[in-house]
Structures are given as structure tokens and as C-alpha cells.
Amino acid sequence: MENAGQPVLKVRNLRTGFATPAGTVVAVDNVSFDLHRNDVLAIIGESGSGKTVTALSLIKLISTPPGRYLGGSIEVEGTDILQLDEAAMESVRGRQIGMIFQNPRASLDPSFTIEFQLIETLMHHDPSLTRAAALDVATRSLQEVGFPDTARVLASYPHQLSGGMCQRIGLAMVLACDPKLLIADEPTTALDVGVQAKILLLLKKRSRETGLPIIIITHDMGVVRAIATRVLVMYGGHVQEEGEVDDVLSSPRHPYTQALIRSIPDPDQAIEEISFIKGEPPNLLSPPKGCRFAPRCDRAVALCHATVPEWRGIGEGRMVRCHLAETGAAQ
Ligand SMILES: Nc1ncnc2c1ncn2[C@@H]1O[C@H](COP(=O)(O)OP(=O)(O)OP(=O)(O)O)[C@@H](O)[C@H]1O
Ligand SMILES: [Mg+2]
């Protein structure tokens, strides 16, 4: 792993929230992590844990009300993008950071054909490209994400294509712009198994060959195992654990990570035997006073209910937010 040198992305104590009539929802709370070249970081966690808000925060899409940055920094190649104005951010998005949205249609405009949108994006990204050259790049990029019949796709409007097809077009558009960092929010959820494998292989190849650092948000441990080098586990807006993928999956130190891994159904398991994490995720308007997971944790002691655990290192490349990580109680 080529992890030496400065991280491409350095996130420190990031806090973002939403103003609601009932108060501020802090959806991302004191999140810190680094991303180096060649890293493929999988962000996992139950629904509502703050994965998408983290991703949107990283490309500064939380700035419009009710969204608000509450603190921290996001350094991309040494520049804190939270200090940039919207005009400067326009060139960071796409050029430096490519984003695949969880909603596959979010990056496409319903009123234009795919050909028009791909060509406009590519020519905006590289003004020296002719229309013919941009069409050529677009065609090759569509083939890369698994479209044999590119003519039909290019002539279509987004509503004429399935969610999975739009997702792949979004990916083709982003990869063709050659970003320095790729963020993909559940990029394979809408895809069938064959296309999913092809996309994962494409991302893995891109990361290996060019060092492209990738953040991939997923609910699928198969995806984590197939592509990730590191894993970051979110719960209730906090990062609870982070480390090398094999370490975290084989010896999770946080009871939440352990419960999450236990709750992944085995393909042979009957539906009645699947283990669910008991209880409900926290209400972020009034989160628990101590560890966010304490109310659902069967190992919690008084300290866990009273004090938020610090985000701390527990060995080579391993971080955790749990009072019990070293005592053996959380093994
Ligand atoms: N516009 C908003 N206004 C108020 N609260 C919001 C808004 N967007 C997100 N939230 C809250 O932020 C929290 C985190 O949401 P987020 O979309 O990041 O979850 P997620 O981990 O991506 O879940 P999923 O796996 O379902 O995609 C949730 O509690 C959600 O209700
Ligand atoms: Mg999400």
C-alpha cells in the first residue's frame, strides 16, 4: 500500500447539521479521518447513521439552509474547502472530487439527452476538447461502465433509462473527468449482480492503476470485502471505528461494529434466524449523553451512559470510539 506522504483528503472534527422547527439535527458530529492515494475507504452503518450527509459535506453541498456547517475542516490536497467560495467550489466538484449520488438521477438533468449532458460536462471540464473528441471520450466511458449499445444510451433522456442505468451513466461521467478523489454513495445498490461485479472491478482497477482514492458508501459487506482497503463505521453521526478492512472485519473492537457484522445474513440462513440489532438508532435532536450506541449495547457500563468516548488510536492504523475497546469487554 502506497500510503506515505500527505493525505489527499484530511477531515478534522467535521460537524454538519440541519435546522428543523424542533431544533438542530447534528447529522455528522466530530468526524475525522484521512484518505491517501490508493485507499478505498468503505463507509458503513445503519440507515440514518450519517453516511450520505458526510459525503455531501465533503463536496460542500450542505451550505444552503436548512443545512449548515457547524465546525471542523475538510482539506483537499492541503486546501480547506470550507474556506472556498461557491465559484471556487464549482471547479473543485468534478475536477478534483467526483461524486456519485445515492439518488441515481441526481446528477442528470431530465430535460437533456445523455449525449448532450456528457459532452457539455466533458467540454466544461476540458475546454480544449472538440465536440467530436468529447463524444469519443463519452462513448468509451459508457463502454467501460458496461453499455455495449452506446448509441441508444446517448440518444436517451434520463426518464427513458432505469435507475441502475442512470447510476452507471453518472459513474461514466465522473470517471471521464478524471477526478483526484471519487466519492460514491451506494453506487451499486440499483444494479444486478453481474453489472455490480463489473463496476466494482472497474473501480478497483482505477484505484490500483492510478492510485485514485475512493470513498464508497455501502450496506453490502460483499462490496466492502471486494473493494475496500479500509472501513469507517458510522453510528448516530459519530465515527465509531476505523481501520484496515481485514482487521475491522475479523476483529471488530466496537460493539456496534460487532453487532453490524453479526446482522449480515448468511445466504443459507432462514429469515427467522437473522440477527437484528435490537432497539432503534438515536434521535439526533436529543442524542444520548454518553456513547451514542450505549442504549442498545449489551456491554454498556455506567461510564458509557455518562460520557462520550474519545476518538482514539488503539494500535497501527486503528481508531475507535469505545470506553471498553481495550478491556476485553468489547472483544
Ligand atoms: N435535509 C435534512 N433535514 C433534516 N435532517 C436531515 C436532512 N438530511 C438528512 N437528515 C438527517 O441526517 C441523518 C443522517 O442521514 P443520512 O442521509 O446521512 O443517513 P445515511 O447513513 O446515508 O442513511 P441511508 O443508509 O438510509 O442512506 C438522518 O437522521 C436524517 O434524518
Ligand atoms: Mg445514505
Side-chain angles (χ1 to χ4, degrees), residues 61-134:
L61 284 182
I62 304 290
S63 313
T64 45
R68 210 154 78 87
Y69 286 88
L70 303 166
S73 60
I74 303 169
E75 284 184 23
V76 179
E77 294 186 317
T79 301
D80 183 2
I81 60 166
L82 291 186
Q83 307 307 323
L84 299 181
D85 62 17
E86 192 44 36
M89 264 322 285
E90 288 270 320
S91 72
V92 170
R93 292 188 201 109
R95 242 163 250 199
Q96 274 185 285
I97 311 178
M99 171 98 188
I100 315 285
F101 293 93
Q102 181 167 11
N103 170 1
R105 293 178 202 278
S107 43
L108 299 173
D109 189 322
S111 39
F112 297 104
T113 63
I114 301 303
E115 175 171 337
F116 182 84
Q117 296 187 54
L118 282 174
I119 287 179
E120 285 299 305
T121 304
L122 284 164
M123 289 177 72
H124 177 72
H125 174 68
D126 179 0
S128 71
L129 276 182
T130 61
R131 281 200 98 73

Side-chain angles (χ1 to χ4, degrees), residues 48 51-53 102 185-186 217 219:
K51 305 180 300 294
T52 292
V53 177
Q102 181 167 11
D185 193 353
E186 308 210 21
I217 296 173
H219 282 275

Side-chain angles (χ1 to χ4, degrees), residues 9 40 46 75 86 101 108 125 171 175 205:
L9 175 69
V40 179
E46 281 168 292
E75 284 184 23
E86 192 44 36
F101 293 93
L108 299 173
H125 174 68
L171 180 62
L175 288 180
K205 194 162 159 261

